[in-house]
Structure formats: C-alpha cells, structure tokens
Amino acid sequence: EIVGPSVLMNHAREGAVAVVDLRSHGRRVPNATRNLAAPVGSAPVFALGDLETARRWAEQRALKSVWVIPPHLIEFHAMHGVPQIAPRQAWQKVSRADWPLFDVSEAVEFSDSRLARSQRLDYSTFGSGDLSQLPKNQPFIVACRVGHRSQLVTQKLRALGYDAHNLDGGLWEWQCQKLPMEGEAQ
C-alpha cells in the first residue's frame, strides 16, 4: 500500500517500525537502513522507493505487508527565490527566541508530533486565512513534514512581503539531526 511520510511518522511514535530505504541515494529518513537484508521482526515495515521495487523486495523477503513511501513524497528541489534554512541553524534561532517557527502540517500531523517551540499555521486555509499571527518585520521559519508544502507557503509569504524561510528537509531532517521534538498536544 502506498502511504505518505506522516503514516510512517505516526506509527514510529506509537512503537517500533522497520524502515528500509530501497533508493540508492536521496534525502535521509529517520531510522532508515539501506541494508536490504536487515531484520524487520514483527514491526510494521515501511519501504522507501518505487512501488515495483518495493514489491520485488517484499517478495524476496516473504513479507506479507509492506507500506511503500514513493520518492516523490519525500524528495523535492529547492525553489528559486525561496531561502532554505538548515535544521541546526533553525534550532539555534528558535531556541534563542530570535525567530518564530510556524508549522503548516495538517492538524492531525501537528497534534501527533511537532517541532519544539512551533506554532501551527493552517495550510488548508492559507490563501484565505488570517495571517495576523505572522510577524511582519521579523524573519521566521516555515516547516512541514518534508519541506515541500512549507516551501510553497514560504514562496507565497515572501511575495506578500514577509521574511519567511523554509526549513530545509522539514520535520524529517530535523529528526535525522536529533533536534528537540514535542509530543502529543496537551
């Protein structure tokens, strides 16, 4: 079954998962292995790669159920004119309260796991939503699960005159670098 990165992230918060990266290169994924022979045990199995490659791999391993995350859901290219900020640099600015951090993940994604000190900015109503929570004369960071939605929002905000910066790699890259996360919403 094809799923998005949020399904993996939510399962990982609930317990052990096996994540096998079938790609030869690409953006790192938290706790993924490129060792195709790694034991998967009884945990839910996620394969990163195209559907046909994942099917062949699962058949070779005699796995009955594998969730597949296709590359286009985790890979993207930086858009021209959209400044990217690396997670460590972002955390330095956020932890010192120099720059606010806004997450455009869906409400359920945000409630399950989120970046430390982040506030939710509703992506689904972004075009018609209230932007009064955004600082007009201060730089800030926009994030999402992998950095694609936030990049689109950052581009729009910059066109409106905001000093927005996209979190490069989003929550996944943040987790890869073992930066602070917050758990379920209180």
Side-chain angles (χ1 to χ4, degrees):
E1 178 180 356
I2 294 178
V3 298
S6 291
V7 174
L8 167 58
M9 295 171 107
N10 293 340
H11 273 77
R13 287 191 51 73
E14 293 172 5
V17 295
V19 185
V20 179
D21 194 343
L22 304 174
R23 305 167 303 152
S24 60
H25 62 282
R27 187 175 296 277
R28 292 182 306 157
V29 175
N31 303 314
T33 180
R34 287 204 166 123
N35 176 359
L36 303 186
V40 295
S42 62
V45 179
F46 289 83
L48 309 172
D50 68 85
L51 185 57
E52 193 52 42
T53 302
R55 281 185 182 149
R56 283 193 309 271
W57 175 79
E59 286 173 8
Q60 291 170 352
R61 299 287 308 267
L63 298 172
K64 292 181 170 95
S65 177
V66 174
W67 283 332
V68 180
I69 302 175
H72 74 274
L73 293 180
I74 56 176
E75 295 292 340
F76 67 92
H77 298 288
M79 297 170 68
H80 180 71
V82 176
Q84 307 288 320
I85 185 167
R88 287 215 179 276
Q89 183 184 10
W91 175 239
Q92 289 171 353
K93 294 186 179 298
V94 170
S95 65
R96 291 191 314 248
D98 291 343
W99 291 17
L101 173 59
F102 296 94
D103 190 330
V104 295
S105 298
E106 295 298 325
V108 68
E109 294 171 325
F110 187 78
S111 69
D112 285 339
S113 63
R114 62 183 166 272
L115 304 170
R117 299 188 184 179
S118 63
Q119 304 170 56
R120 184 164 179 272
L121 179 64
D122 193 351
Y123 177 78
S124 62
T125 61
F126 172 74
S128 60
D130 178 15
L131 301 179
S132 62
Q133 71 188 48
L134 299 176
K136 190 66 174 169
N137 299 314
Q138 175 188 9
F140 59 90
I141 302 162
V142 182
C144 68
R145 295 293 150 180
V146 296
H148 180 66
R149 287 176 289 184
S150 57
Q151 185 169 235
L152 297 171
V153 169
T154 299
Q155 182 183 46
K156 291 177 183 178
L157 289 171
R158 292 188 71 79
L160 294 172
Y162 290 94
D163 190 4
H165 301 255
N166 185 54
L167 180 63
D168 188 24
L171 189 84
W172 276 26
E173 188 61 30
W174 186 279
Q175 284 184 309
C176 282
Q177 295 187 24
K178 300 187 182 339
L179 295 169
M181 297 286 297
E182 291 180 10
E184 293 185 2
Q186 303 299 315

